[in-house]
Amino acid sequence: ILVSNAGEVAAGFALTDTLDGALTLVSAPGLSVSGQTLTAIGTLGAFEQQVFTITAQTNITTSGALTNTALLSGDGALRSLTAVGHVT
Protein backbone atom coordinates (compact mmCIF):
# COMPACT_ATOMS: atom_id res chain seq x y z
CA ILE A 1 0.00 0.00 0.00
CA LEU A 2 1.42 3.36 -1.00
CA VAL A 3 0.29 6.45 0.92
CA SER A 4 1.42 9.71 -0.62
CA ASN A 5 1.00 13.39 0.12
CA ALA A 6 0.63 15.37 -3.10
CA GLY A 7 0.29 18.64 -1.20
CA GLU A 8 2.76 21.35 -0.30
CA VAL A 9 2.22 21.04 3.48
CA ALA A 10 2.50 18.17 5.96
CA ALA A 11 -0.56 15.93 6.27
CA GLY A 12 -1.67 13.51 8.98
CA PHE A 13 -3.13 10.14 7.99
CA ALA A 14 -4.80 7.04 9.39
CA LEU A 15 -4.67 3.81 7.37
CA THR A 16 -6.83 0.78 8.17
CA ASP A 17 -6.77 -2.55 6.35
CA THR A 18 -8.92 -5.47 7.50
CA LEU A 19 -7.73 -8.72 5.96
CA ASP A 20 -10.21 -11.18 4.47
CA GLY A 21 -10.96 -14.13 6.77
CA ALA A 22 -9.37 -16.46 4.20
CA LEU A 23 -5.98 -14.84 4.87
CA THR A 24 -3.43 -15.37 7.64
CA LEU A 25 -1.04 -12.52 8.25
CA VAL A 26 2.65 -13.37 7.81
CA SER A 27 4.17 -9.89 8.19
CA ALA A 28 3.22 -6.22 8.10
CA PRO A 29 6.20 -4.06 9.09
CA GLY A 30 5.24 -0.55 10.19
CA LEU A 31 1.62 -1.50 10.89
CA SER A 32 -0.08 -2.23 14.21
CA VAL A 33 -1.95 -5.54 14.24
CA SER A 34 -5.11 -6.47 16.14
CA GLY A 35 -6.64 -9.69 14.85
CA GLN A 36 -7.27 -9.22 11.11
CA THR A 37 -7.11 -5.41 11.35
CA LEU A 38 -3.91 -3.57 10.42
CA THR A 39 -3.49 0.13 11.19
CA ALA A 40 -0.98 2.93 10.80
CA ILE A 41 -1.20 6.53 11.97
CA GLY A 42 1.38 9.06 10.91
CA THR A 43 2.32 12.29 9.20
CA LEU A 44 3.80 12.78 5.75
CA GLY A 45 5.71 15.91 4.82
CA ALA A 46 5.05 17.78 1.60
CA PHE A 47 5.33 15.44 -1.41
CA GLU A 48 6.46 12.51 0.78
CA GLN A 49 5.22 8.95 0.54
CA GLN A 50 5.32 5.80 2.64
CA VAL A 51 5.01 2.18 1.55
CA PHE A 52 3.43 -0.53 3.69
CA THR A 53 4.03 -4.13 2.58
CA ILE A 54 1.61 -6.77 3.79
CA THR A 55 2.40 -10.45 3.34
CA ALA A 56 -0.35 -12.99 3.98
CA GLN A 57 -1.14 -16.63 3.17
CA THR A 58 -4.45 -18.11 2.14
CA ASN A 59 -6.14 -20.46 4.61
CA ILE A 60 -8.06 -22.27 1.89
CA THR A 61 -7.48 -23.69 -1.54
CA THR A 62 -8.76 -21.01 -3.82
CA SER A 63 -8.74 -19.95 -7.41
CA GLY A 64 -9.35 -16.55 -8.83
CA ALA A 65 -8.78 -13.32 -6.94
CA LEU A 66 -9.19 -12.26 -3.34
CA THR A 67 -10.20 -8.64 -2.79
CA ASN A 68 -8.57 -6.53 -0.12
CA THR A 69 -9.58 -2.94 0.60
CA ALA A 70 -7.61 -0.43 2.66
CA LEU A 71 -9.18 2.77 3.98
CA LEU A 72 -7.26 6.03 4.21
CA SER A 73 -8.35 9.14 6.06
CA GLY A 74 -6.51 12.33 6.80
CA ASP A 75 -6.03 15.92 5.85
CA GLY A 76 -4.25 17.60 2.98
CA ALA A 77 -3.84 16.10 -0.47
CA LEU A 78 -3.45 12.45 0.55
CA ARG A 79 -3.70 9.65 -1.96
CA SER A 80 -3.75 5.91 -1.48
CA LEU A 81 -2.69 3.45 -4.14
CA THR A 82 -2.89 -0.32 -3.71
CA ALA A 83 -0.79 -2.92 -5.44
CA VAL A 84 -2.33 -6.05 -6.93
CA GLY A 85 -1.99 -9.07 -4.66
CA HIS A 86 -1.18 -12.52 -5.97
CA VAL A 87 -2.51 -15.83 -4.71
CA THR A 88 0.03 -18.61 -5.09
Side-chain angles (χ1 to χ4, degrees):
I1 299 171
L2 171 68
V3 178
S4 63
N5 178 2
E8 296 182 3
V9 297
F13 72 90
L15 175 69
T16 303
D17 188 350
T18 302
L19 296 179
D20 185 279
L23 297 174
T24 298
L25 180 66
V26 174
S27 67
L31 294 163
S32 297
V33 179
S34 178
Q36 293 290 92
T37 302
L38 314 175
T39 58
I41 297 173
T43 301
L44 293 175
F47 305 107
E48 285 187 339
Q49 56 185 305
Q50 186 168 358
V51 174
F52 298 96
T53 301
I54 300 167
T55 303
Q57 294 179 324
T58 59
N59 298 331
I60 58 174
T61 302
T62 186
S63 62
L66 292 174
T67 301
N68 183 64
T69 303
L71 302 174
L72 176 68
S73 62
D75 49 56
L78 291 173
R79 295 182 182 166
S80 176
L81 305 174
T82 57
V84 175
H86 299 279
V87 177
T88 56

